[in-house]
């Protein structure tokens, strides 16, 4: 009989590769590509197999685009106003009819005494009162000119809470000068932005009426006339300004949600340690985590661009190549920031909190709604590290100006630099947390 002995694996000689080494078995470029594609497919399946995740990725961006597109606007339409006609002449009635026929204003009441102005403004029933002083038609006939409306703030009185306008009766209209027909516009100053815009619209109506009246009655024309023209947005539609910004805002939010929760989800579900025993290097894991957020963000951006052009009618005057060059660099930066947040987060709740802590300051400091030039100088320096600052200029430049790569190059290279720094920091944090 022969003794049965257990065969031992052959000893590895010096310089011979270890066939049990997890990396040497799959080290070629094709094998690397195969591993990355398998990991990216796994991340997409994890993201899309959950109905809630699919809803978050698809439905909210569409709703946000529609809501922002119709709600975020500086255009005034149907502003409630009142008219106090003290002159009661044919000219004053014609001016009142012009105001009533304007799409900007809706006349809710015609007043007959001073006290009614304070009552309506204090109650918030009107945003503006137009007061046509006595001698309006006589001044127009004799001198052939209409003065600019005199703006009076109805909210600057003694109400310290700031929730109601002053209850004092506005001062009487200035006495009519022989050379000028005075019209007074009294606005509710509690909403300063709306009041300023309403006063500007009313001033344009009164000024246009005065010019037409002078021309019709043979009066002397004004020595100079200002003709205005707006480039890139001839009708000054605020939707053309806001909708391209929504492309950036919604794309950033969706991309951050996906990337900021990628690693945190693995830790919370207890599958992060399983990933570490797979034949993946930390860099490959990082690429696998970054790719789904990048691709979904690019898809969302394309969808919103199509909605901006075909739904909201915003002109796309520039090149799609320039637009997508900026979007790719921007997504590169956002994915890096999201992976940094995800690497530092232990739970999904921490990841969401980190995402919102970044999103709100980034949106405020981007110039999305308020110009960066109006901010304090230290804050303007802070915006230089915000990728949204640059991509907003790129997107609006391509949509409205038709800007090309040469003109937008000063905005593209900072995006590339921010993206490289963020991805490098995300890679370092990812390897550090693994160790």
């Amino acid at each position: 009989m022969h003794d049965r002995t257990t065969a031992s694996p052959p000893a590895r000689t010096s310089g011979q590769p270890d066939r049990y080494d997890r990396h040497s078995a799959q080290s070629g470029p094709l094998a690397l590509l195969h591993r990355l594609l398998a990991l990216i497919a796994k991340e997409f399946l994890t993201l899309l197999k959950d109905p809630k995740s699919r809803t978050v990725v698809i439905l909210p961006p569409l709703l946000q685009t529609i809501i922002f597109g119709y709600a975020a606007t500086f255009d005034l339409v149907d502003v409630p106003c009142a008219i106090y006609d003290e002159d009661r002449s044919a000219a004053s009635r014609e001016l009142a009819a012009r105001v009533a026929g304007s799409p900007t204003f809706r006349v809710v009441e015609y007043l007959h005494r001073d006290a009614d102005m304070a009552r309506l403004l204090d109650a918030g029933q009107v945003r503006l009162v137009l007061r046509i002083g006595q001698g309006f038609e006589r001044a127009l006939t004799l001198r052939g000119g209409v003065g600019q409306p005199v703006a009076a703030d109805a909210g600057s009185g003694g109400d310290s809470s700031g929730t109601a306008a002053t209850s004092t009766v506005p001062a009487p209209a200035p006495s009519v000068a022989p050379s000028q027909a005075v019209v007074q516009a009294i606005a509710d100053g509690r909403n300063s932005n709306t009041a300023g815009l309403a006063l500007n619209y009313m001033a344009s109506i009164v000024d246009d009426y005065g010019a037409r009246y002078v021309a019709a009655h043979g009066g002397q024309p004004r020595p100079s006339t200002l003709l205005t023209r707006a480039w890139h947005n001839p009708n000054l539609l605020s939707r053309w300004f806001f909708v391209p910004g929504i492309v950036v805002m919604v794309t950033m939010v969706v991309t951050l949600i996906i990337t900021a929760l990628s690693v945190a989800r693995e830790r919370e579900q207890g599958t992060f340690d399983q990933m570490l025993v797979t034949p993946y290097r930390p860099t490959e894991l990082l690429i696998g985590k970054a790719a789904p957020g990048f691709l979904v963000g690019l898809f969302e951006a394309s969808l919103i661009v199509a909605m901006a052009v075909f739904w909201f009618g915003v002109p796309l005057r520039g090149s799609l190549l320039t637009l997508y060059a900026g979007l790719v660099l921007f997504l590169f930066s956002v994915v890096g920031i999201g992976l940094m947040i995800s690497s530092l987060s232990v739970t999904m709740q921490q990841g969401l909190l980190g995402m919102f802590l970044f999103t709100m300051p980034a949106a405020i400091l981007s110039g999305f709604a308020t110009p960066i030039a109006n901010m304090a100088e230290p804050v303007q320096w802070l915006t230089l590290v915000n990728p949204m600052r640059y991509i907003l200029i790129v997107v609006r430049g391509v949509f409205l100006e038709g800007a090309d790569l040469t003109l937008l190059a000063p905005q593209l290279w900072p995006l590339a630099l921010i993206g490289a720094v963020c991805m490098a920091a995300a890679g370092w944090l990812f390897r550090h947390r693994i160790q």
Side-chain angles (χ1 to χ4, degrees):
M1 299 179 61
H2 299 284
D3 294 334
R4 295 182 178 177
T5 59
T6 303
S8 59
R12 184 179 62 171
T13 59
S14 178
Q16 181 180 358
D18 186 1
R19 63 178 178 175
Y20 300 102
D21 182 66
R22 63 177 181 177
H23 299 309
S24 61
Q26 300 178 0
S27 58
L30 292 179
L32 174 62
L33 180 61
H34 182 269
R35 293 201 306 272
L36 287 177
L37 291 177
L39 182 59
I40 293 172
K42 175 258 181 189
E43 293 294 328
F44 269 111
L45 290 175
T46 303
L47 177 66
L48 299 178
K49 72 178 180 180
D50 184 12
K52 294 181 180 179
S53 298
R54 292 197 301 267
T55 304
V56 168
V57 170
I58 298 174
L59 187 59
L62 299 179
L63 293 178
Q64 290 174 13
T65 303
I66 295 173
I67 292 173
F68 272 100
Y70 287 107
T73 176
F74 289 143
D75 301 330
L76 286 186
V77 179
D78 202 35
V79 178
C81 71
I83 297 178
Y84 183 21
D85 184 4
E86 293 182 308
D87 193 48
R88 299 182 183 276
S89 62
S92 63
R93 288 193 294 270
E94 185 178 355
L95 176 58
R98 283 182 176 271
V99 175
S102 168
T104 305
F105 297 100
R106 172 172 51 88
V107 179
V108 298
E109 191 170 342
Y110 291 90
L111 309 181
H112 303 285
R113 57 178 181 171
D114 291 346
D116 292 336
M117 294 190 292
R119 173 180 59 84
L120 293 177
L121 289 168
D122 289 345
Q125 297 179 19
V126 298
R127 295 293 183 184
L128 184 142
V129 175
L130 179 68
R131 182 175 188 168
I132 306 174
Q134 294 180 4
F136 175 75
E137 185 177 51
R138 180 173 179 272
L140 286 176
T141 303
L142 294 178
R143 301 293 178 178
V146 180
Q148 291 291 338
V150 179
D153 185 357
S156 58
D159 185 8
S160 59
S161 65
T163 58
T166 176
S167 296
T168 59
V169 177
S175 59
V176 178
S179 62
Q180 197 175 52
V182 176
V183 180
Q184 186 181 27
I186 307 169
D188 185 351
R190 287 172 291 189
N191 188 331
S192 59
N193 183 61
T194 302
L197 292 174
L199 288 172
N200 290 334
Y201 278 120
M202 185 63 74
S204 65
I205 293 175
V206 174
D207 188 68
D208 179 71
Y209 172 75
R212 291 177 181 271
Y213 189 93
V214 170
H217 292 79
Q220 288 185 349
R222 297 184 180 180
S224 62
T225 303
L226 176 64
L227 299 178
T228 62
R229 179 183 177 186
W231 281 16
H232 310 308
N233 190 353
N235 296 322
L236 297 179
L237 299 176
S238 58
R239 183 178 296 172
W240 286 18
F241 174 79
F242 275 111
V243 172
I246 297 171
V247 177
V248 176
M249 182 67 69
V250 176
T251 301
M252 183 185 70
V253 171
V254 173
T255 305
L256 277 178
I257 288 177
I258 296 174
T259 54
L261 300 182
S262 58
V263 180
R265 184 192 300 110
E266 300 283 355
R267 287 199 179 100
E268 190 170 291
Q269 294 177 352
T271 58
F272 186 72
D273 293 335
Q274 297 178 9
M275 287 197 315
L276 300 182
V277 299
T278 58
Y280 287 102
R281 298 180 177 87
T283 303
E284 297 171 359
L285 291 174
L286 189 69
I287 295 174
K289 293 292 184 182
F294 181 88
L295 295 176
V296 171
L298 198 61
F299 169 76
E300 296 287 352
S302 303
L303 182 62
I304 301 172
V305 167
M307 289 184 64
V309 175
F310 298 107
W311 187 312
F312 294 106
V314 182
L316 181 59
R317 299 191 173 111
S319 169
L320 284 176
L321 177 63
T322 305
L323 177 63
Y324 276 92
L327 289 174
V328 166
L329 293 175
F330 174 68
L331 288 172
F332 186 53
S333 304
V334 173
V335 166
I337 295 171
L339 290 176
M340 290 171 58
I341 296 173
S342 187
S343 299
L344 294 173
S345 304
V346 179
T347 63
M348 295 177 66
Q349 185 177 7
Q350 293 179 359
L352 285 174
L353 180 61
M355 183 203 73
F356 283 111
L357 286 177
F358 169 79
T359 302
M360 292 304 297
I364 295 173
L365 300 177
S366 64
F368 175 74
T370 57
I372 295 177
N374 292 349
M375 302 178 186
E377 188 173 353
V379 179
Q380 293 185 33
W381 284 99
L382 187 61
T383 63
L384 295 176
V385 297
N386 183 10
M388 278 192 68
R389 168 195 172 115
Y390 306 101
I391 188 59
L392 280 174
I393 298 175
V394 173
V395 172
R396 286 170 176 164
V398 172
F399 265 92
L400 301 181
E401 302 174 29
D404 55 11
L405 280 172
T406 304
L407 188 61
L408 296 175
Q411 313 301 328
L412 295 177
W413 73 259
L415 278 175
L417 180 61
I418 294 173
V421 172
C422 291
M423 288 300 294
W428 182 86
L429 288 173
F430 190 76
R431 290 191 298 268
H432 179 73
R433 295 304 293 265
I434 288 177
Q435 296 174 356

